[in-house]
Amino acid sequence: MNSNIFIIGGARPNFMKIAPLIRELERQKIKFKLIHTGQHYDYNMSKIFFDNLGISKPDYFLNVGSGSHAFQTAKIMIEFEKVILKEKPKLIIVVGDVNSTIACALVAKKLLIEVAHVEAGLRSFDKKMPEEINRKLTDHLADYLFVTEESGLFNLKNEGIDSSKIFFVGNIMIDNLLTNSKLARENNYYKGLGLIRDSYGLITIHRASNVDTKKDLERVIKTLNYIQSKIKIIFPIHPRTQKNLKNFNLDEQLKKPNIILTEPLGYLEFLNLMMNAKFILTDSGGIQEEASYLKIPILTLRQNTERPITIEKGTNTLIGNDFNKLKMYVDKILSDSYKKGQEIEKWDGKTSQRIVEIIKNKVL
Ligand code: UD1
C-alpha cells in the first residue's frame, strides 16, 4: 500500500515505542518514512537500539544534539520543517513526551498535517517536569490520541478533548517487550556481570528532579548507599547523571564493592537485567510499566507518576524523597512481603496492530 506516513524518533525512550509500529507497518506493506531528530546521539543512547530492535536506518537524521530546552526544541522544529515541506506527509506519528515529540507535532500542525500521538493522555499534574508540558501540548495538537491506560481516557476527557479522536489501544512498549523477551532471557547478561538471579537491585536515575542539583544527587547517593548495604546493585548511568556526578565531585562516592556501575545499556541487556532483578529503583516512566508487566517490584524516586495503573495494578510504589519509606519498602521486598501485581488491560502485545488498523481506517 502506498502512503505517506512519517514516524518520529528522537530520544532513547522513543525507540522501543516506534519499533513495534515499524514492524507492523512493514508486515502490512504500508510505506512510511523514519525521521530521527538526533536528540540522543551517543551510540549507547541511540544506535544500539536501532541494532537491538532491528529498526532500519532512518530516512532523515536531523542531527540536533543537546542544548537547553528552547535551543533543542527550536532546532528540531527548524530542521523538521525543511523535511516536511519537501515530503508533504499525510500523517506524522509521534511517541512519548520528549522534546522531539512536541517539536515535530507543532511543526506538522502549523502546516496542516495530521498528527497521531502514541502514549497520549498520561499526566503527572506536575508542570515542573518538562515531559508533562510536552505531553499535554502534544495531546492538544493531535488528531489521533492512542492511550495506554484508563487514566489517559479520563484525563483527555477532563481536558475537553473530543472523544472521537481518542483510542484506547494499550501499551506499545509491551509489544516490544514480548517480541524481544526470548532473546533477552537467553542472553543471560546478568550472569556475565557475576550477578545472581533475584539477588540484586537494578537502578536507573536521570530525571532533573533527582540529578540536577548537588543536594538531590547527594540524596540519591544516600539512598543507593543504604540499598547496597543490603543487596548488590547495578547502576547503568545516563549521560546526564554521569555529567552531574562529575560536576558536583560526587562520582567517587559510588565506588563501592557492592555497586556495579556501567554505561547506559542496550535494550536486550537491560531487559535481561530487569527480568532477573530482585527489584528496580528508578525515576524513568517506561521502566515503571515494563517492571509492572514483568511483575518485578519497582520503587520510583518521584513524588508523582503519570502512569497510575502501575501503582493500582502493577508492582510500582512511589517513594518521593522519603528515605524512611524507601527503607520500609526495600525491607518488604527483601523479605518477600511486597505486593505481587496483576495483569493490565490491553498490555498484550497487540497495541501496534490496533494502532495500524485505526490509521488504515481513518487516514489511508
Ligand atoms: C530525555 C527526555 C526524557 C527521557 C530521557 C531518556 C526531554 C525533555 N527529556 O531526557 O523525557 O526520559 O531523555 O533518556 O526530552 N546526552 C549525551 N548523549 C546522548 C544524549 C544526551 O551525552 O546521547 C547528554 C547531553 O549532554 C544532555 C544530557 O545528556 O545535556 C541530557 O540529554 P537531553 O536530551 O537533554 O535529556 P535527557 O535527560 O536525556
Side-chain angles (χ1 to χ4, degrees):
M1 198 185 295
N2 227 334
S3 68
N4 205 357
I5 298 176
F6 274 13
I7 299 182
I8 318 294
R12 181 172 65 176
N14 292 164
F15 305 129
M16 39 296 246
K17 295 169 197 163
I18 64 172
L21 260 185
I22 291 175
R23 270 193 295 275
E24 187 58 22
L25 289 169
E26 281 174 346
R27 193 179 70 81
Q28 299 209 28
K29 302 199 173 15
I30 298 173
K31 290 217 172 98
F32 63 90
K33 287 212 160 98
L34 177 58
I35 321 295
H36 186 334
T37 65
Q39 175 174 346
H40 283 174
Y41 43 85
D42 286 350
Y43 174 77
N44 52 22
M45 295 295 285
S46 172
K47 174 88 170 41
I48 192 169
F49 293 92
F50 280 68
D51 296 345
N52 277 181
L53 304 176
I55 309 175
S56 50
K57 204 164 160 265
D59 297 279
Y60 289 93
F61 182 68
L62 306 183
N63 201 17
V64 299
S66 303
S68 69
H69 282 275
F71 177 89
Q72 190 174 59
T73 310
K75 199 158 176 220
I76 297 168
M77 290 179 70
I78 292 166
E79 296 307 317
F80 185 58
E81 188 178 54
K82 293 178 195 161
V83 181
I84 236 179
L85 286 172
K86 179 169 163 229
E87 297 271 351
K88 299 193 175 53
K90 203 164 179 184
L91 173 77
I92 75 155
I93 306 178
V94 294
V95 300
D97 56 17
V98 300
N99 287 339
S100 303
T101 312
I102 177 63
C104 293
L106 190 51
V107 170
K109 274 322 280 180
K110 293 259 177 104
L111 294 168
L112 307 182
I113 287 155
E114 292 200 299
V115 173
H117 184 205
V118 175
E119 208 183 80
L122 297 179
R123 297 289 181 268
S124 66
F125 303 101
D126 176 0
K127 287 230 188 73
K128 284 198 248 86
M129 284 181 80
E131 296 85 356
E132 179 74 356
I133 299 170
N134 292 344
R135 43 175 106 88
K136 199 162 176 180
L137 294 180
T138 304
D139 283 343
H140 284 260
L141 292 168
D143 302 280
Y144 306 95
L145 294 99
F146 295 118
V147 174
T148 52
E149 62 166 82
E150 264 183 25
S151 72
L153 298 174
F154 180 79
N155 295 332
L156 294 174
K157 198 170 152 224
N158 258 355
E159 289 173 19
I161 292 182
D162 188 341
S163 61
S164 65
K165 297 179 179 177
I166 304 171
F167 305 90
F168 182 25
V169 292
N171 193 331
I172 200 158
M173 282 210 314
I174 306 304
D175 293 22
N176 203 48
L177 194 157
L178 285 167
T179 306
N180 290 287
S181 61
K182 188 165 181 283
L183 276 177
R185 199 168 287 288
E186 287 169 358
N187 73 36
N188 277 329
Y189 185 72
Y190 75 103
K191 285 190 185 161
L193 294 169
L195 295 167
I196 297 168
R197 184 160 205 261
D198 272 345
S199 305
Y200 63 90
L202 172 61
I203 317 291
T204 80
I205 302 288
H206 74 273
R207 286 240 120 68
S209 58
N210 282 322
V211 306
D212 276 10
T213 69
K214 187 169 186 197
K215 193 165 153 256
D216 285 317
L217 255 183
E218 281 172 341
R219 169 177 53 76
V220 169
I221 289 172
K222 181 178 167 201
T223 302
L224 299 187
N225 264 329
Y226 174 74
I227 299 176
Q228 67 88 38
S229 72
K230 299 264 171 183
I231 189 169
K232 199 155 193 118
I233 59 181
I234 169 151
F235 183 13
I237 308 188
H238 186 284
R240 177 189 200 108
T241 311
Q242 181 70 61
K243 202 184 285 175
N244 292 348
L245 279 167
K246 229 178 152 49
N247 287 345
F248 299 133
N249 276 323
L250 293 170
D251 39 349
E252 290 298 317
Q253 295 193 26
L254 288 178
K255 292 191 178 141
K256 299 253 156 79
N258 240 7
I259 303 182
I260 302 176
L261 301 173
T262 71
E263 300 273 293
L265 299 174
Y267 182 76
L268 297 173
E269 289 78 20
F270 192 79
L271 184 51
N272 181 268
L273 287 180
M274 278 202 282
M275 287 169 156
N276 294 293
K278 181 73 180 169
F279 73 99
I280 300 168
L281 179 82
T282 197
D283 57 8
S284 149
I287 295 169
Q288 295 171 51
E289 299 182 328
E290 289 168 330
S292 286
Y293 180 82
L294 294 167
K295 300 204 166 81
I296 304 289
I298 175 149
L299 304 179
T300 298
L301 276 195
R302 284 175 48 189
Q303 308 283 6
N304 49 53
T305 179
E306 59 288 339
R307 293 156 157 95
I309 197 83
T310 61
I311 295 178
E312 289 151 22
K313 293 208 168 159
T315 47
N316 190 18
T317 301
L318 289 182
I319 298 297
N321 297 343
D322 188 338
F323 188 60
N324 287 329
K325 192 169 177 188
L326 173 100
K327 285 197 331 207
M328 187 177 97
Y329 277 98
V330 168
D331 291 348
K332 257 181 191 293
I333 292 168
L334 296 183
S335 61
D336 288 325
S337 52
Y338 188 74
K339 64 180 170 181
K340 301 290 175 222
Q342 305 161 40
E343 310 238 310
I344 300 175
E345 192 182 353
K346 293 193 183 172
W347 292 22
D348 57 0
K350 294 185 182 138
T351 297
S352 47
Q353 284 175 37
R354 291 187 196 106
I355 293 175
V356 171
E357 253 347 274
I358 294 163
I359 290 174
K360 268 166 61 186
N361 290 333
K362 304 266 176 193
V363 184
L364 303 184

